[in-house]
Amino acid sequence: MANSFRASKHGRKGEANHDAEFSCSLQELRSLMEIRGEEARIRIQECYGDINGLCARLRTSPVEGLDGKSEDIDRRKQQYGQNFIPPKKPKTFLHLVWEALQDVTLIILEVAAMISLGLSFYNPPDAERQYCGRAAGGLKDDSDGETGWIEGAAILLSVVCVVLVTAFNDWSKEKQFRGLQSRIEQEQKFTVVRGGQVVQIKVSEIVVGDVAQVKYGDLLPADGVLIQGNDLKIDESSLTGESDHVKKSLDKDPMLLSGTHVMEGSGKMLVTAVGVNSQSGIIFMLLGASEEGGGGGGGGDSEEKKEKKKECLKIRERKDKKKKNTEMQPLNGEPEKKINLPKKEKSVLQGKLTKLAVQIGKAGLFMSTLTVIILITRFLIDTFVIQGVAWSSECMPIYVQFLVKFFIIGVTVLVVAVPEGLPLAVTIALAYSVKKMMKDNNLVRHLDACETMGNATAICSDKTGTLTMNRMTVVQAYVAGHHYRKVPEAELIPTKTLDLLILGIGVNCAYTTKIMPPERDGGLARQVGNKTECALLGLTLDLHRDYQAIRNEIPEEKLFKVYTFNSVRKSMSTVMKNYDGSYRMFSKGASEILLKKCCRILTVTGESRVFKPRDRDDLVKKVVESMASEGLRTICLAYRDFPVSEGEPDWDNEALILTGLTCIAVVGIEDPVRPEVPDAIRKCQRAGITVRMVTGDNINTARAIATKCGILHPGDDFLCLEGKEFNRRIRNELGEIEQERIDKIWPKLKVLARSSPTDKHTLVKGIIDSTVMEQRQVVAVTGDGTNDGPALKKADVGFAMGIAGTDVAKEASDIILTDDNFSSIVKAVMWGRNVYDSISKFLQFQLTVNVVAVIVAFTGACITQDSPLKAVQMLWVNLIMDTFASLALATEPPTEALLLRNPYGRNKPLISRTMMKNILGHAVYQLTTIFTLLFTGEKLFDIDSGRNAPLHSPPSEHYTIVFNTFVLMQIFNEVNARKIHGERNVFEGVFRNPIFCTIILGTLLVQILIVQFGGKPFSCVSLNLEQWLWCILLGFGSLLWGQLVSSVPTSWLKFLTTAGHGTQQEEIPEEELEEMKDKDEIDHAEMELRRGQVLWCRGLNRIQTQIRVVNAFRDSVSPYEGLETPESRSSIHNFMTHPEFRIEDSEPQIPLIDENEGEDEPPTKRNSFAVPPPLTGLSSLPPNENNNALDRIVPVHKDVPRSVLVPPNSVGLMSCPGSPLHSLETSL
């Protein structure tokens, strides 16, 4: 395609005439953007003449852009809308309160409190009082008659407290998310031309009529029509489902759509639709509308909306069909299939916790039911059998009051047992970490990435910009037959050569790349755009020439054709047309690639001589390799003339165009290693994390830099491979990747040089899928280019560069490094490990309270017919240990000590043996103290016993002391809980966490107030100083006891078990995988909750099914019999994953080498899917991937007809993890 902009006559003159009204309506532009391809070109020609006509109608200039006056911009915003899609309304505080009230235990408590309230106002006839039994004795004293209602009211009040606290937490979490979201959105800028100047503005400021510059890696922020383009290729899969890249040019398809990714090339576009009127905005609003419409009764949907919904579904269906039938057009020409990526598993931690919470909840439910049953039975036996009271209906209300009291006690046991603080603690820990990580230059996009990072075992890092400073400068040059060790003076280079060099650099570097004056005096000049090109432009300035003058003389529109840089070409070429009709092409690129295409070279005199292969080998050895061994990146600059006599060249035949070059110079570009990187890498290695470098540079440069960084240590056993060699080693004779071959390489591989994006993806996938180590590897990847998208997505945690990263990379990533610095990754590891430890600290504390409170309430209730801790007190304890403790313990700042141990790994239980020892050890101390006080306290303190008090009797000193000691022991134990690895000094660094100190002191103060002034509602009596001192002493005792517990070596306690293991993916029943196949991630937490409800019924069913499966195998029946194959459904690009405009999961379509699981079949059969033959016995089962025992066999339903086995078009079925085939294959 020749350069697409022909400066037509009125194109130049069509200066922006902003005063007249716009002669294009919004509707007209919207309908224009709905057509594509040739049809769109014809429509533009018919209606507007050409693109300049459209510019004139929109009162803008294709060259100068808008003039940028604020009144003009405002008028455009009014007429055509803003480039902003309104987010879904956040939930109101009341809504969150309502949600918090849905908690079952709270509802039960509310009901019980209501009944208790109602009954306290009921006065039974006095006459029959004495016949109702002993316990009903002093039911009402005169002084006490009015206070019976207090307990019910207090319970209601504390429920209100709990609800408000929960709602407030949810609200602040949501607010934080929105803040984070808007921060991500604000950081998005786009380049437009205004008033002839190229400026960067916020995406939301773009208006219709703007002329925007698009380049490789951009995510288009609005719809537009191409004005001029170089080799532009767009990935439109997010809108159409077409995985092929669409070529855009003025004469074929000039339409550019918002939400699509620029995969190659550059150009300019005229913005024609923004915000809700752009193509992705329309789909967005439809999805929003259909959600709300569906929610709000749906009946009121207007016809128009229904039409739109149909349209939306059509797009979806079209996309589905495309998904199944499209061939991927890989960069290297061989068609490959886009295979469904395996689902990314969501937070492991959340899964483990929810599982644990469900287990504890079940135990709590069991205990509370038991408590109620025992209380009722004892009461009935005591009243009707031992005292022999006759049944009478007058006593009914009193009996009911007892029942309600018992019921409330049961429910409070349940409330204390259910650790609803767990999810809260995770949220707080993660939200707090995310907020603090912002300060450490980590912008977290997905909360769980933060915690996954703590388990990372491998980091695959880019070189440029991450390990190095990305401030490139030319330091050596080979020009005019001489190798200069530093940049030569201009006088030393022949004029002819110098002119060619300067012209070639000026024209053949992207016009968006510039060197700007420093921001402050004495600073370094600012490099804008591609840093390698900046180095070359810097070279022209060092030679005292001005590249800008060349660009002013030859504006971008005059360039005839540009072959932009991409990862396959590894070079960039620009063609200029001379006045006499001949052409001249300038090229620059990786020296070893470009030198092979040179057949001449410029000499000392400035003339060219023949450049033979032997000369080339000499040059490579003496110059290129010597530069590379010093860690320099080598770039070759060359040119070629196409004389008129040879006729018009075939510009599409790249291989032919890019030969017969004449070499001008080879330059060595230095990119210094960041000073803080070697230390950061040392920390990683000490923390058990392997750092690997994956770079596109040549192997000598890569090795030199890796040694400087400390990735390679001389004398170690390591591998440094080039992409080609790596591919040769991991593929079998048929050219397919084999996991066993990767397994032989990756443990030693430290540097992968000259690697393509596909190699990076293959390596990451290979490490993640590997089973060589006993722990599954958790891989973090850094990337900045568009082509890094697949690897970033595949990794457990993807880091994108905030400064150098393209939009596509940022979309695919989990965390954005706002300073592009490797040492920020080390901070992320610290925070990730800290989250895990914070949760464990909280668990250790909470489970101790749980165990003690439940046992005390249970035993107390059974022996004394009344819980020593009253409902309201229990709720206060619950508040301390859930909400406050989660705040106090989840906000501990990380320390360097976290980096001194190896990663935990994905399968490590949340509660280690040491923690179990601490929990049980402290429980023993607390229970001993409480029971001693409960049963002998009245003798020790010489006070009245509080046991066996009748209903509604006033609170006693005895029970107040029990309650007070209990709470104080928890407060002191909270300090113990700060250490989970058995450290001695529990106070270390306590003042670095102000939140912790505040909460401890606050809780203490409130406790004093409750005991001294709480009175009847809290069932407390004020205590004297001596009693207080005893309580504090007993509380403080738990600190001393803690020292004793940590002295006992854990290795002696072999009988202790660990708890809180996660769910393995293989354990997930297939029905749930079926339900989840629409989602992108397996959300362990949601699953656990749902499972908790279903498990009770499913146990038996599952055993039966498993017996059936085992029998089926014995009868050697095909295990695939009657398995349904899920349709691969997909939503429109998953647009609504968040209320905000985030294009999630749009995979840039770079060929992923063999993503298939069944990798041993020949590649030709990729499209057809053969029905597997019946298995005879277990011998021919698919190879055991996960060594799971046979008891995890997925239920096979025999009642499904055989005919549904495999639909004709289910490509790539084996690798779809949602499919039963896959679960069967992995479980066997």
Side-chain angles (χ1 to χ4, degrees):
M1 152 191 107
N3 189 316
S4 306
F5 184 87
R6 304 270 185 274
S8 67
K9 279 170 287 195
H10 54 276
R12 276 264 169 246
K13 298 193 185 73
E15 295 306 320
N17 165 13
H18 297 291
D19 307 330
E21 264 317 299
F22 312 117
S23 48
C24 263
S25 70
L26 177 63
Q27 215 41 52
E28 187 181 333
L29 288 175
R30 249 178 91 158
S31 62
L32 172 68
M33 292 318 294
E34 276 166 10
I35 53 181
R36 313 257 185 286
E38 190 63 22
E39 193 186 341
R41 190 182 67 79
I42 294 166
R43 164 79 70 92
I44 291 175
Q45 224 168 357
E46 285 171 358
C47 300
Y48 312 106
D50 63 0
I51 182 69
N52 297 309
L54 183 56
C55 287
R57 284 211 175 174
L58 287 172
R59 308 275 172 262
T60 181
S61 146
V63 181
E64 301 282 314
L66 298 176
D67 59 6
K69 288 186 186 142
S70 55
E71 55 271 21
D72 178 47
I73 304 287
D74 292 341
R75 204 161 72 231
R76 287 172 190 275
K77 281 186 183 168
Q78 259 172 351
Q79 177 145 357
Y80 297 114
Q82 289 183 325
N83 194 21
F84 158 77
I85 292 176
K88 263 164 63 186
K89 286 194 188 76
K91 290 176 179 166
T92 57
F93 187 70
L94 284 174
H95 188 116
L96 291 167
V97 168
W98 177 244
E99 276 183 4
L101 277 170
Q102 309 297 313
D103 187 10
V104 186
T105 42
L106 286 181
I107 292 175
I108 298 173
L109 263 183
E110 287 154 23
V111 171
M114 292 299 220
I115 297 173
S116 158
L117 258 183
L119 289 170
S120 65
F121 292 120
Y122 173 78
N123 269 341
D126 290 340
E128 313 292 333
R129 171 74 54 80
Q130 58 277 29
Y131 302 127
C132 294
R134 244 203 329 264
L139 182 61
K140 304 242 185 213
D141 301 332
D142 290 341
S143 64
D144 231 31
E146 288 76 52
T147 54
W149 59 273
I150 288 184
E151 189 178 30
I155 292 178
L156 279 182
L157 193 67
S158 38
V159 165
V160 168
C161 268
V162 171
V163 164
L164 286 176
V165 169
T166 317
F168 179 74
N169 271 316
D170 286 349
W171 178 76
S172 57
K173 181 174 86 182
E174 176 126 347
K175 188 164 154 248
Q176 237 171 357
F177 267 140
R178 294 203 172 251
L180 181 68
Q181 202 50 50
S182 61
R183 161 110 192 238
I184 290 177
E185 279 171 7
Q186 272 163 13
E187 296 212 330
Q188 281 185 322
K189 297 247 171 89
F190 209 76
T191 315
V192 297
V193 181
R194 284 197 178 166
Q197 293 297 312
V198 177
V199 288
Q200 283 215 324
I201 58 172
K202 281 188 194 158
V203 164
S204 54
E205 291 296 312
I206 292 176
V207 291
V208 170
D210 257 324
V211 174
Q213 289 196 341
V214 296
K215 59 181 187 309
Y216 154 85
D218 283 341
L219 175 72
L220 297 184
D223 290 354
V225 180
L226 194 65
I227 297 178
Q228 169 244 326
N230 305 319
D231 215 358
L232 202 58
K233 286 190 184 151
I234 307 270
D235 169 18
E236 294 189 347
S237 58
S238 55
L239 286 178
T240 60
E242 289 275 11
S243 55
D244 294 348
H245 298 162
V246 185
K247 262 189 138 167
K248 298 287 180 184
S249 62
L250 277 185
D251 39 12
K252 293 216 179 62
D253 179 1
M255 305 314 247
L256 301 174
L257 306 173
S258 58
T260 59
H261 292 122
V262 182
M263 301 312 280
E264 239 180 81
S266 60
K268 280 187 186 173
M269 75 169 188
L270 167 70
V271 176
T272 53
V274 293
V276 291
N277 301 309
S278 67
Q279 290 304 299
S280 52
I282 292 170
I283 292 178
F284 229 127
M285 296 317 284
L286 287 182
L287 289 174
S290 61
E291 269 186 16
E292 285 153 25
D301 259 14
S302 64
E303 283 306 306
E304 186 190 358
K305 255 192 204 163
K306 281 185 186 159
E307 279 306 304
K308 284 190 181 169
K309 246 192 249 181
K310 275 185 203 153
E311 200 178 305
C312 207
L313 289 171
K314 264 186 217 152
I315 296 180
R316 247 179 229 207
E317 280 163 26
R318 191 167 76 217
K319 189 170 166 188
D320 278 356
K321 277 191 198 123
K322 297 273 164 50
K323 272 261 159 72
K324 286 173 196 156
N325 310 333
T326 47
E327 290 276 305
M328 273 203 50
Q329 210 40 60
L331 297 175
N332 46 11
E334 36 188 277
E336 282 186 36
K337 277 259 55 67
K338 162 91 171 95
I339 308 294
N340 270 349
L341 281 176
K343 292 192 174 68
K344 227 190 201 183
E345 295 200 14
K346 223 175 173 184
S347 171
V348 185
L349 182 64
Q350 204 93 27
K352 288 181 186 175
L353 277 179
T354 320
K355 189 168 187 177
L356 195 66
V358 169
Q359 287 164 350
I360 299 173
K362 283 179 198 164
L365 190 65
F366 173 71
M367 292 293 277
S368 60
T369 320
L370 202 61
T371 314
V372 174
I373 293 171
I374 291 176
L375 282 171
I376 292 176
T377 321
R378 269 200 61 165
F379 172 73
L380 293 178
I381 293 174
D382 187 47
T383 309
F384 294 116
V385 181
I386 299 174
Q387 295 175 38
V389 176
W391 171 264
S392 74
S393 56
E394 277 90 19
C395 289
M396 257 312 274
I398 293 173
Y399 296 152
V400 169
Q401 254 179 328
F402 269 104
L403 270 182
V404 170
K405 181 181 164 183
F406 296 152
F407 188 58
I408 288 180
I409 291 171
V411 174
T412 26
V413 172
L414 181 62
V415 168
V416 173
V418 172
E420 66 272 36
L422 271 185
L424 183 70
V426 182
T427 310
I428 290 178
L430 288 175
Y432 172 76
S433 304
V434 165
K435 205 169 182 177
K436 291 286 186 200
M437 281 169 83
M438 290 273 222
K439 294 202 175 88
D440 285 338
N441 302 311
N442 283 295
L443 180 66
V444 181
R445 294 181 70 235
H446 299 136
L447 260 190
D448 39 359
C450 170
E451 156 252 327
T452 314
M453 208 40 225
N455 288 330
T457 55
I459 298 175
C460 294
S461 171
D462 268 358
K463 175 178 78 73
T464 310
T466 316
L467 301 173
T468 58
M469 289 168 77
N470 204 8
R471 226 204 121 70
M472 310 238 187
T473 40
V474 173
V475 289
Q476 294 187 19
Y478 175 87
V479 60
H482 195 290
H483 183 179
Y484 296 95
R485 294 280 164 182
K486 55 183 206 289
V487 177
E489 290 297 320
E491 297 77 59
L492 298 174
I493 304 171
T495 322
K496 187 176 169 189
T497 310
L498 187 62
D499 290 344
L500 273 171
L501 185 65
I502 305 294
L503 178 63
I505 291 175
V507 174
N508 192 27
C509 285
Y511 277 44
T512 48
T513 304
K514 305 189 191 52
I515 291 188
M516 311 283 278
E519 283 177 346
R520 56 178 186 276
D521 291 342
L524 292 167
R526 282 180 302 149
Q527 298 187 336
V528 181
N530 180 313
K531 298 293 189 267
T532 311
E533 295 184 338
C534 286
L536 294 172
L537 295 176
L539 174 65
T540 63
L541 298 177
D542 291 345
L543 293 169
H544 311 299
R545 296 300 182 91
D546 182 14
Y547 67 88
Q548 197 52 53
I550 295 172
R551 290 185 170 183
N552 296 341
E553 192 186 322
I554 309 170
E556 199 172 1
E557 294 82 49
K558 280 195 180 167
L559 301 178
F560 179 76
K561 178 160 182 62
V562 179
Y563 296 97
T564 49
F565 181 88
N566 67 28
S567 54
V568 173
R569 286 189 190 125
K570 291 222 184 288
S571 67
M572 169 176 176
S573 308
T574 301
V575 184
M576 293 161 32
K577 189 167 187 176
N578 300 328
Y579 295 114
D580 59 359
S582 63
Y583 298 96
R584 173 168 281 178
M585 174 177 82
F586 287 103
S587 297
K588 66 169 193 295
S591 52
E592 57 265 52
I593 294 173
L594 222 51
L595 282 174
K596 287 188 182 133
K597 305 192 171 158
C598 291
C599 63
R600 300 185 76 75
I601 186 165
L602 295 179
T603 59
V604 189
T605 56
E607 298 307 317
S608 65
R609 67 171 171 82
V610 177
F611 186 53
K612 300 198 180 80
R614 197 176 63 243
D615 303 336
R616 182 173 64 232
D617 296 341
D618 274 358
L619 186 65
V620 168
K621 261 201 189 63
K622 287 186 183 145
V623 177
V624 176
E625 284 179 10
S626 98
M627 285 181 180
S629 62
E630 292 174 41
L632 304 185
R633 164 184 281 192
T634 56
I635 299 284
C636 173
L637 301 158
Y639 78 102
R640 178 182 175 184
D641 284 324
F642 298 92
V644 185
S645 54
E646 289 179 12
E648 184 81 8
D650 173 11
W651 296 113
D652 288 337
N653 184 349
E654 249 178 83
L656 203 65
I657 297 285
L658 210 61
T659 48
L661 304 177
T662 305
C663 172
I664 305 173
V666 174
V667 294
I669 296 179
E670 181 185 44
D671 185 7
V673 171
R674 287 175 180 265
E676 62 278 14
V677 161
D679 187 42
I681 287 182
R682 243 194 331 277
K683 282 181 187 162
C684 280
Q685 288 163 342
R686 198 176 59 216
I689 301 169
T690 316
V691 182
R692 293 181 174 81
M693 180 204 280
V694 182
T695 173
D697 250 337
N698 83 34
I699 193 147
N700 298 325
T701 311
R703 196 181 278 128
I705 299 270
T707 313
K708 280 184 194 169
C709 292
I711 293 177
L712 300 180
H713 298 289
D716 282 3
D717 181 17
F718 56 76
L719 276 178
C720 290
L721 294 180
E722 287 205 336
K724 272 188 188 145
E725 175 64 9
F726 172 70
N727 271 308
R728 195 183 59 70
R729 291 197 188 188
I730 59 171
R731 291 171 187 272
N732 59 15
E733 298 69 50
L734 295 169
E736 290 164 343
I737 294 173
E738 287 185 354
Q739 183 66 40
E740 297 80 66
R741 290 175 183 239
I742 297 184
D743 288 346
K744 283 184 192 140
I745 295 177
W746 74 258
K748 286 184 184 174
L749 181 68
K750 289 288 168 65
V751 174
L752 185 57
R754 279 281 174 251
S755 67
S756 69
T758 328
D759 297 338
K760 193 174 190 176
H761 180 268
T762 310
L763 177 65
V764 172
K765 180 177 187 298
I767 297 178
I768 289 179
D769 293 349
S770 172
T771 49
V772 185
M773 310 278 177
E774 66 268 28
Q775 290 277 10
R776 144 151 154 41
Q777 296 283 304
V778 177
V779 184
V781 168
T782 68
D784 51 6
T786 307
N787 40 24
D788 291 329
L792 287 171
K793 267 237 154 317
K794 177 70 197 167
D796 296 285
V797 181
F799 286 91
M801 302 296 142
I803 303 168
T806 58
D807 294 346
V808 181
K810 289 179 188 171
E811 278 304 325
S813 69
D814 301 297
I815 297 179
I816 296 173
L817 294 177
T818 50
D819 62 346
D820 286 15
N821 193 339
F822 185 83
S823 57
S824 304
I825 298 179
V826 182
K827 297 260 175 60
V829 173
M830 252 164 60
W831 276 108
R833 292 186 174 190
N834 191 48
V835 166
Y836 210 92
D837 281 8
S838 299
I839 302 303
S840 295
K841 288 171 191 172
F842 171 67
L843 266 175
Q844 178 175 308
F845 172 69
Q846 175 161 39
L847 290 181
T848 315
V849 190
N850 266 13
V851 170
V852 176
V854 170
I855 293 179
V856 167
F858 175 70
T859 328
C862 298
I863 297 173
T864 65
Q865 274 214 35
D866 183 9
S867 165
L869 299 172
K870 301 290 180 288
V872 180
Q873 295 173 351
M874 286 278 222
L875 284 169
W876 164 235
V877 169
N878 199 36
L879 202 63
I880 295 179
M881 68 178 204
D882 272 358
T883 312
F884 295 151
S886 59
L887 256 174
L889 291 169
T891 53
E892 288 272 316
T895 58
E896 289 278 330
L898 290 167
L899 294 174
L900 298 176
R901 60 169 176 77
N902 282 351
Y904 282 148
R906 289 176 89 90
N907 306 335
K908 178 183 181 294
L910 275 174
I911 302 172
S912 61
R913 277 226 171 87
T914 313
M915 286 168 63
M916 207 54 133
K917 175 186 75 177
N918 292 343
I919 291 169
L920 295 177
H922 285 294
V924 168
Y925 170 75
Q926 294 190 9
L927 285 171
T928 317
T929 314
I930 294 281
F931 284 139
T932 313
L933 285 178
L934 190 59
F935 295 115
T936 59
E938 69 275 22
K939 298 190 189 77
L940 295 174
F941 287 104
D942 191 23
I943 44 178
D944 297 338
S945 165
R947 293 193 301 283
N948 299 327
L951 199 63
H952 294 311
S953 58
S956 64
E957 273 184 334
H958 181 195
Y959 271 20
T960 308
I961 289 177
V962 172
F963 164 62
N964 198 19
T965 309
F966 178 70
V967 172
L968 288 171
M969 284 195 296
Q970 303 321 329
I971 293 176
F972 283 108
N973 192 30
E974 200 162 329
V975 180
N976 272 330
R978 291 185 65 244
K979 302 291 174 201
I980 48 173
H981 298 299
E983 296 94 331
R984 286 248 172 236
N985 181 3
V986 289
F987 288 105
E988 185 195 351
V990 71
F991 294 114
R992 285 221 315 275
N993 186 359
I995 300 181
F996 182 83
C997 303
T998 319
I999 283 178
I1000 292 279
L1001 290 172
T1003 316
L1004 199 58
L1005 280 175
V1006 176
Q1007 177 63 18
I1008 295 172
L1009 291 176
I1010 285 177
V1011 172
Q1012 295 304 90
F1013 310 108
K1016 187 76 200 245
F1018 282 97
S1019 317
C1020 286
V1021 190
S1022 56
L1023 301 177
N1024 60 34
L1025 188 62
E1026 189 195 350
Q1027 291 164 337
W1028 262 105
L1029 287 173
W1030 275 109
C1031 291
I1032 290 176
L1033 183 69
L1034 289 170
F1036 187 76
S1038 66
L1039 281 176
L1040 303 174
W1041 180 260
Q1043 294 300 313
L1044 185 71
V1045 170
S1046 55
S1047 308
V1048 179
T1050 314
S1051 50
W1052 294 0
L1053 309 171
K1054 286 274 184 277
F1055 59 88
L1056 287 182
T1057 56
T1058 54
H1061 297 266
T1063 323
Q1064 302 303 313
Q1065 188 173 342
E1066 310 79 76
E1067 291 173 22
I1068 304 171
E1070 154 214 334
E1071 307 91 283
E1072 294 183 16
L1073 270 173
E1074 284 283 298
E1075 286 168 39
M1076 295 183 316
K1077 66 174 180 282
D1078 279 350
K1079 304 182 183 164
D1080 299 3
E1081 300 179 317
I1082 296 173
D1083 185 345
H1084 288 289
E1086 246 173 71
M1087 247 166 46
E1088 283 301 341
L1089 283 177
R1090 239 187 302 148
R1091 255 240 226 76
Q1093 300 155 3
V1094 183
L1095 267 182
W1096 316 80
C1097 335
R1098 194 186 282 154
L1100 184 68
N1101 184 356
R1102 221 165 147 194
I1103 293 168
Q1104 288 173 339
T1105 325
Q1106 286 182 359
I1107 293 170
R1108 245 189 306 173
V1109 174
V1110 175
N1111 291 343
F1113 277 121
R1114 283 205 192 112
D1115 308 342
S1116 73
V1117 173
S1118 155
Y1120 298 112
E1121 176 168 10
L1123 280 179
E1124 288 190 64
T1125 61
E1127 289 291 322
S1128 133
R1129 280 178 273 167
S1130 67
S1131 61
I1132 291 197
H1133 193 44
N1134 211 358
F1135 257 154
M1136 292 302 285
T1137 42
H1138 279 270
E1140 292 76 21
F1141 181 46
R1142 290 170 62 172
I1143 297 194
E1144 277 278 2
D1145 296 347
S1146 70
E1147 300 257 337
Q1149 306 306 355
I1150 305 280
L1152 313 184
I1153 299 187
D1154 289 335
E1155 258 285 15
N1156 209 342
E1157 300 267 303
E1159 269 166 4
D1160 22 283
E1161 63 217 274
T1164 47
K1165 292 198 186 152
R1166 281 285 148 81
N1167 293 358
S1168 56
F1169 184 86
V1171 177
L1175 294 180
T1176 47
L1178 282 172
S1179 56
S1180 56
L1181 280 174
N1184 179 353
E1185 288 177 21
N1186 299 24
N1187 309 335
N1188 303 327
L1190 269 178
D1191 60 349
R1192 288 200 188 135
I1193 290 172
V1194 175
V1196 172
H1197 307 299
K1198 297 190 87 171
D1199 44 354
V1200 185
R1202 184 76 189 250
S1203 59
V1204 295
L1205 182 52
V1206 179
N1209 52 4
S1210 58
V1211 188
L1213 183 75
M1214 288 300 262
S1215 69
C1216 162
S1219 77
L1221 285 179
H1222 178 276
S1223 6
L1224 223 154
E1225 182 186 41
T1226 42
S1227 349
L1228 290 175

